[in-house]
Amino acid sequence: MKTTTTTDERTLAALQREHGPALFHFLLGLTFGDRQRAEDLVQETLVRAWQHPEAFDAPYDSMRPWLFTVGRRLAIDARRSRLARPVEVSDTVLESTPDALDTADRAVRALDVREAVRTLSPEHRAVLVQIYFRGLSVGETAAALGIPAGTVKSRSYYALRVLARTLPGYSRRSSARSSASRADASATST
């Protein structure tokens, strides 16, 4: 029957006092400053030293090279293990992930907006394109189209009324929905 031998506690404590801080700083560099991971690797390295008392009988004067080699190999193994394992996802991440149907709904709304804008007269469409799709002010739109600011206001008012009747589920009171429709429409305009 094989008996397992381990390093005695006093030798291990002396090893930790003598080489522990240097090993920690070495492993801290290998873990890119992750103190918790470096501490875990130091502990695992010392467990290996405890499990392998024959390492103390090695031909070199110091245990430091052996400890650094074991610690480096443990760090490499831990990194490979983390990279091979899929990232864990918590419930909060799943709750904040957009629903796949949202993309389809946005695309349908954008198509509806595009079709509704095509039904407008060229004058009304030109005003809406400048104000809502290009983000110009009333004054800038008036200058760009060469018409008075009052005409820009009037055309945008009547164009929005036509769109409200034409677009399914459109509500002027719902500012969130209007801004979402504008964002969808601007993403798909011309």
Side-chain angles (χ1 to χ4, degrees):
M1 182 181 243
K2 183 178 176 183
T3 59
T4 58
T5 59
T6 57
T7 306
D8 68 80
E9 290 180 30
R10 274 187 253 131
T11 305
L12 196 60
L15 182 73
Q16 198 279 331
R17 275 191 307 277
E18 184 178 348
H19 302 291
L23 180 62
F24 173 74
H25 288 292
F26 171 71
L27 293 171
L28 191 62
L30 291 179
T31 59
F32 304 105
D34 186 346
R35 296 183 68 80
Q36 182 64 44
R37 189 162 285 133
E39 289 172 1
D40 290 346
L41 290 170
V42 167
Q43 184 176 8
E44 183 61 32
T45 303
L46 292 174
V47 166
R48 298 287 170 95
W50 177 70
Q51 292 173 336
H52 297 280
E54 69 274 6
F56 289 87
D57 300 330
Y60 35 82
D61 294 334
S62 174
M63 281 293 293
R64 189 170 287 192
W66 185 88
L67 290 170
F68 277 44
T69 301
V70 170
R72 183 177 56 79
R73 288 180 180 164
L74 288 170
I76 290 169
D77 290 346
R79 179 160 172 79
R80 285 180 182 159
S81 175
R82 278 191 320 279
L83 293 176
R85 185 176 349 159
V87 178
E88 296 177 8
V89 178
S90 68
D91 290 341
T92 57
V93 172
L94 291 175
E95 290 170 0
S96 65
T97 303
D99 189 10
L101 295 177
D102 289 346
T103 305
D105 288 341
R106 283 188 13 219
V108 168
R109 281 194 309 248
L111 289 173
D112 289 342
V113 168
R114 185 182 290 175
E115 186 59 36
V117 169
R118 283 190 187 127
T119 64
L120 296 173
S121 70
E123 295 83 16
H124 288 116
R125 188 174 335 121
V127 168
L128 289 187
V129 165
Q130 296 297 323
I131 292 176
Y132 290 101
F133 300 139
R134 294 203 175 121
L136 299 181
S137 68
V138 171
E140 293 168 333
T141 300
L145 296 177
I147 57 176
T151 304
V152 170
K153 291 178 186 179
S154 173
R155 286 182 184 173
S156 65
Y157 172 79
Y158 286 110
L160 289 176
R161 284 187 60 185
V162 169
L163 289 179
R165 287 191 305 266
T166 321
L167 288 172
Y170 177 80
S171 169
R172 288 198 49 141
R173 291 187 184 122
S174 170
S175 61
R177 187 172 284 213
S178 328
S179 60
S181 296
R182 279 188 225 134
D184 289 341
S186 66
T188 59
S189 70
T190 49

